[in-house]
Amino acid sequence: MHWRFRQISDLAVSWAGHRVVPVMLIAFIALWAAVGLSISFPRQWFLLTNMLGTLTIFFILLLVQHSQNRDMMALHAKLDELIRSSKAGNHWIAAEKNDADAIEGMRQQHHGQISESAN
């Protein structure tokens, strides 16, 4: 089930990011407006438009967030492995789990070490 969701999510995100999608959306909006004008925009027309637009945006937002979370976890795993295999200090591994002040302190310490070695 989890594998199937990931596959569907990847397909939907790649489809939503395709360059043809904005053209299709403009054509759909023009058709929607033309049909609405021909039937004088009844009240239900606006309700349906709002509901479909909100649900579509919410669904795409969830799919994109899922994809970004997975990509970010993979990126962190790769960076951790690069840190482990290099001469960098292992204190940088999983630095993203620290709070903002601790990360800034680590960054300042690193910049201090760079300036000392440059002199």
Side-chain angles (χ1 to χ4, degrees), residues 17-74:
H18 197 272
R19 65 177 181 244
V20 176
V21 172
V23 174
M24 287 176 26
L25 285 176
I26 290 171
F28 179 74
I29 290 169
L31 179 66
W32 188 265
V35 171
L37 283 172
S38 69
I39 60 172
S40 302
F41 288 111
R43 183 179 183 150
Q44 291 83 8
W45 194 259
F46 290 115
L47 292 173
L48 183 62
T49 303
N50 278 341
M51 183 185 70
L52 289 176
T54 302
L55 289 175
T56 301
I57 290 170
F58 184 68
F59 182 68
I60 294 295
L61 177 71
L62 290 176
L63 290 176
V64 168
Q65 186 63 46
H66 171 75
S67 178
Q68 283 184 334
N69 287 346
R70 196 181 70 247
D71 289 348
M72 190 57 66
M73 287 179 0

